[in-house]
Amino acid sequence: SYYVCMLSAAELIGVAHQRPAVLNHDYIPKAQVVSAGNVTIDWFYGDKLLEESLITKNTEAGTIQISNALLTAADLVQY
């Protein structure tokens, strides 16, 4: 499974001052950077998380998991 993290999550929860250039995901199994047109998805790898660390958000494309404010801050400091 994966979740939206770092500056991408900060934008979605309303604490970023600008839109990030790439969509950041944290993914448990190893994956590669994916690019299509002007969209780049950068994958980061992490261990298992507590369920309360993630927020479920509905989007036009479906439901996604994003990191909460505390996990977003920890991800930004860690990476």
Side-chain angles (χ1 to χ4, degrees), residues 18-49:
Q18 64 186 29
R19 177 175 235 166
V22 296
L23 179 64
N24 301 121
H25 285 79
D26 195 332
Y27 193 70
I28 294 171
K30 191 165 179 132
Q32 298 178 8
V33 173
V34 178
S35 292
N38 63 352
V39 175
T40 301
I41 300 176
D42 197 1
W43 301 88
F44 295 89
Y45 315 107
D47 294 328
K48 294 181 181 180
L49 297 172

Side-chain angles (χ1 to χ4, degrees), residues 6-7 9-18 69 72 76:
M6 295 193 229
L7 292 177
E11 176 194 9
L12 292 171
I13 59 177
V15 296
H17 67 280
Q18 64 186 29
T72 298
L76 289 169

